[in-house]
Amino acid sequence: EAGVAQSPRYKIIEKRQSVAFWCNPISGHATLYWYQQILGQGPKLLIQFQNNGVVDDSQLPKDRFSAERLKGVDSTLKIQPAKLEDSAVYLCASRPDRASYEQYFGPGTRLTVT
Amino acid sequence: SQKIEQNSEALNIQEGKTATLTCNYTNYSPAYLQWYRQDPGRGPVFLLLIRENEKEKRKERLKVTFDTTLKQSLFHITASQPADSATYLCALDMGTGGFKTIFGAGTRLFVKA
């Protein structure tokens, strides 16, 4: 079974630029999460999708972050414009169904904002 | 809001010994608690889940306990090996339904040969 795929793996941008991250979850997984992990901290939930609908985006800074999951499969997370404090690893995770709590994580995208 | 406390100091132990990591939470008791392993440059990997009505869960050399009175979970690795060196994250459900999870900052474990 293929794991969660993310790209790019690394990205360096200047502040005020925009950036997009892509995630392809495990086939058949209905729930998809985006997390932000700042160095030395645990992953912080940004947004959760169930199929192509948003379940929770209460911690997403909506003035600069946006995410979509078209057709309930792949997802894209965008930051526009980026700030220095957005430097972090952005993790995508998926979960198979309502009966399972286990989340499967991708390798993450390391973003550096200069 | 729920807060999770994991020892921020790294844990250094000798190969063959038992490593014990602690996860404390401050507010409501979660319906379940999970432990994940994270290696540098990689995403977390699920290890074990324990529910609020379970006291203990085992998987191979891993054991998790859950004490809702103390608001604490302990994670044990017996017969530890250098390959067990990683950061271990505790995660709780956020108590709002919908399978949302809050993660602790993790504890770094170093196992010396």
Side-chain angles (χ1 to χ4, degrees):
Chain A
E1 178 181 71
V4 176
Q6 289 189 247
S7 68
R9 289 298 313 277
Y10 305 92
K11 190 74 177 178
I12 301 174
I13 61 173
E14 295 181 352
K15 58 183 179 185
R16 291 188 288 275
Q17 286 187 324
S18 62
V19 65
F21 313 126
W22 173 80
C23 172
N24 185 15
I26 293 173
S27 177
H29 283 200
T31 305
L32 185 148
Y33 306 84
W34 281 103
Y35 290 90
Q36 179 192 60
Q37 187 173 25
I38 293 172
L39 188 64
Q41 299 182 19
K44 172 191 164 187
L45 179 67
L46 292 175
I47 190 167
Q48 176 185 349
F49 292 95
Q50 179 75 21
N51 296 309
N52 60 346
V54 175
V55 173
D56 186 297
D57 63 357
S58 57
Q59 299 186 91
L60 187 73
K62 297 180 188 64
D63 58 334
R64 298 184 302 105
F65 286 64
S66 64
E68 60 182 10
R69 189 183 184 196
L70 299 176
K71 300 180 182 178
V73 182
D74 293 7
S75 178
T76 303
L77 176 70
K78 295 180 182 176
I79 308 175
Q80 182 180 9
K83 293 185 175 181
L84 295 177
E85 58 260 37
D86 297 333
S87 294
V89 174
Y90 290 85
L91 294 162
C92 178
S94 65
R95 186 171 58 80
D97 57 42
R98 293 187 179 277
S100 171
Y101 297 103
E102 177 180 346
Q103 296 181 36
Y104 296 78
F105 283 83
T109 297
R110 180 176 296 278
L111 173 68
T112 302
V113 183
T114 63
Chain B
S1 62
Q2 184 73 284
K3 282 188 168 56
I4 301 175
E5 296 166 354
Q6 292 187 258
N7 196 337
S8 58
E9 289 184 17
L11 179 62
N12 290 280
I13 65 167
Q14 200 68 35
E15 182 177 12
K17 301 293 187 184
T18 296
T20 299
L21 285 69
T22 304
C23 173
N24 295 297
Y25 55 93
T26 58
N27 204 345
Y28 60 86
S29 280
Y32 60 88
L33 186 150
Q34 303 178 63
W35 284 89
Y36 286 78
R37 169 184 172 140
Q38 187 171 27
D39 291 284
R42 309 188 81 156
V45 174
F46 172 81
L47 297 175
L48 278 170
L49 178 146
I50 187 165
R51 298 175 189 272
E52 60 181 337
N53 60 347
E54 298 175 315
K55 295 290 186 188
E56 183 178 296
K57 205 77 167 283
R58 291 175 185 261
K59 179 183 176 183
E60 297 172 353
R61 294 184 296 111
L62 308 179
K63 185 179 84 171
V64 173
T65 63
F66 194 3
D67 189 326
T68 54
T69 301
L70 292 179
K71 296 188 176 181
Q72 180 180 81
S73 173
L74 298 179
F75 177 78
H76 307 271
I77 306 175
T78 58
S80 60
Q81 305 165 1
D84 296 325
S85 298
T87 295
Y88 292 87
L89 302 167
C90 169
L92 318 178
D93 84 282
M94 292 177 73
T96 54
F99 298 90
K100 292 187 289 292
T101 307
I102 180 170
F103 282 83
T107 298
R108 190 84 169 90
L109 172 67
F110 292 98
V111 181
K112 294 190 294 185

